[in-house]
Amino acid sequence: RAKRAGGNRVEPFQPAFRSFGTDRLQLETDLRRAVERKELSLVYQPIVRLEDAEVAGFEALMRWEHPKRGNIPPSEFIPIAEASDIIGPLGMFALEQATNDLKAWQRQTGDLPLFVSINLSSVQLLNNELYDDIRALLAKTHCDPHRIKLELTESQVMENPEQARLVLDKLRDAGIGLALDDFGTGYSSLAYLTRFPFDTIKLDKAMVRDDSDKKAVLLRSVISMARELNMRVVAEGIESEEDALELAKIGCTYGQSFIFGPPMGSDSVIRLLKERFPLTRRA
Ligand code: C2E
Ligand code: MG
Ligand code: MG
Ligand code: MG
């Protein structure tokens, strides 16, 4: 087959994975330009207080509209960014955009006490400039640090626990909220994780949805332990109103799920807030 081209020219052997490699390389090149070309944006998903179904804050989720391929999910492009230096500018874009959008919501809704929660990559966490960059950003935008939460997963923290703790302690001392994301998908105990200054844990949907009796016991004990440790709990991916009521009953503070609202653009956030909090409509 290699000789099909004729003569004695031998075509290079191209195994199937080569196309994957090239594809990834192309995406990396495209992603590098995506920030300046404004192909990246943030959408925001409501985080709802289970006790009264009121919106308490939003999680910022990144979207990439590729000019040729359309929407590429973060599960695909975040790892590419993390494996290269792109995560730096990309992470900074998320922090800046989310902070500015939060300020706009506050201006337009009479300063509702909302928070915005931003996913952080471990590469950012281990970067020595992260703390100063965030402080500078909050000062420049006159943003209250208590309105900002940063989300990290257990595996991200475990990449370098000592360094992570130093940075997280400084961020906490500056008033910034810290959420442990995807809890229940890793292996550490909540007891171990309390060495880090998280004020919130986000239960992964796999944990929230499991309906076996054993898991229900685990869920209850994680939630009550979190409460005793003075941590808030967010349940991700709740599937029914019934489950939401049950979670509220066992002490879960917040829910974040398609049943409460999908991720939406900043304009839709403002519309939603004006609808939900009509007294501030004139603001
Ligand atoms: P995550 O931080 O755990 O975000 C929650 C994910 O669950 C989001 O997926 C959200 O759309 C999805 N989700 C919310 N409610 C439901 C539900 O009821 N059912 C189901 N099946 N899914 C639900 P998304 O937006 O695709 O983001 C995936 C992951 O990509 C995030 O997981 C986060 O780890 C990462 N990511 C997203 N944006 C950023 C970012 O700006 N920076 C970094 N470093 N990572 C990000
Ligand atoms: Mg998250
Ligand atoms: Mg999560
Ligand atoms: Mg995640």
Side-chain angles (χ1 to χ4, degrees):
R1 185 176 180 267
K3 285 194 165 183
R4 200 191 47 195
N8 41 22
R9 209 181 101 213
V10 176
E11 286 179 355
F13 173 60
Q14 300 219 342
F17 66 78
R18 278 287 292 270
S19 66
F20 172 76
T22 329
D23 193 57
R24 187 173 164 124
L25 216 63
Q26 184 60 51
L27 271 188
E28 186 183 321
T29 308
D30 295 348
L31 187 55
R32 208 172 280 287
R33 299 191 194 116
V35 182
E36 57 197 68
R37 294 190 179 176
K38 303 211 187 317
E39 292 163 16
L40 296 173
S41 61
L42 292 181
V43 287
Y44 299 93
Q45 186 173 30
I47 297 175
V48 168
R49 207 160 46 220
L50 291 176
E51 138 189 296
D52 57 4
E54 209 46 275
V55 175
F58 292 85
E59 177 177 20
L61 296 160
M62 201 177 291
R63 295 293 178 259
W64 180 16
E65 184 65 27
H66 189 286
K68 291 204 191 97
R69 302 186 193 200
N71 204 300
I72 297 179
S75 55
E76 204 169 317
F77 70 81
I78 296 287
I80 296 177
E82 284 177 336
S84 67
D85 55 347
I86 307 174
I87 194 66
L90 196 136
M92 214 49 219
F93 161 77
L95 287 163
E96 280 175 8
Q97 185 70 48
T99 307
N100 285 318
D101 286 340
L102 172 71
K103 293 297 288 186
W105 307 339
Q106 290 175 332
R107 274 197 306 274
Q108 303 221 24
T109 62
D111 216 5
L112 289 169
L114 301 159
F115 64 84
V116 70
S117 206
I118 304 156
N119 292 284
L120 216 59
S121 148
S122 54
V123 184
Q124 289 174 276
L125 185 69
L126 301 178
N127 176 339
N128 290 322
E129 271 125 60
L130 177 77
Y131 176 77
D132 291 336
D133 285 351
I134 291 180
R135 290 300 299 263
L137 171 65
L138 298 182
K140 189 177 84 185
T141 52
H142 306 287
C143 183
D144 180 355
H146 296 94
R147 302 288 177 85
I148 303 287
K149 274 188 204 292
L150 301 174
E151 300 192 1
L152 283 159
T153 64
E154 166 197 331
S155 60
Q156 289 173 324
V157 166
M158 291 311 158
E159 264 177 50
N160 186 341
E162 290 78 27
Q163 169 77 0
R165 208 172 121 192
L166 282 175
V167 181
L168 293 177
D169 280 343
K170 284 209 293 185
L171 290 165
R172 191 266 324 266
D173 291 346
I176 292 163
L178 298 170
L180 182 62
D181 204 357
D182 299 348
F183 185 80
T185 58
Y187 300 98
S188 313
S189 70
L190 190 53
Y192 178 78
L193 293 165
T194 57
R195 294 165 175 222
F196 302 92
F198 291 105
D199 54 77
T200 301
I201 67 172
K202 299 188 77 171
L203 303 179
D204 192 78
K205 58 179 176 295
M207 188 170 197
V208 171
R209 283 178 185 182
D210 201 305
D211 27 333
S212 75
D213 287 348
K214 272 188 193 164
K215 271 296 182 90
V217 172
L218 192 66
L219 191 63
R220 238 192 305 272
S221 72
V222 166
I223 291 173
S224 73
M225 185 167 171
R227 285 183 74 97
E228 275 172 55
L229 293 164
N230 236 335
M231 296 165 97
R232 309 280 172 86
V233 181
V234 182
E236 292 190 304
I238 301 172
E239 279 181 307
S240 67
E241 201 154 321
E242 197 190 339
D243 288 351
L245 290 171
E246 180 59 26
L247 282 157
K249 221 162 66 189
I250 60 177
C252 183
T253 332
Y254 301 117
Q256 179 184 346
S257 152
F258 296 152
I259 68 163
F260 300 125
M264 61 188 87
S266 184
D267 290 349
S268 303
V269 168
I270 292 172
R271 266 196 299 277
L272 178 143
L273 292 173
K274 288 186 171 175
E275 234 170 73
R276 291 259 193 147
F277 303 93
L279 289 178
T280 61
R281 187 164 285 170
R282 276 160 279 118

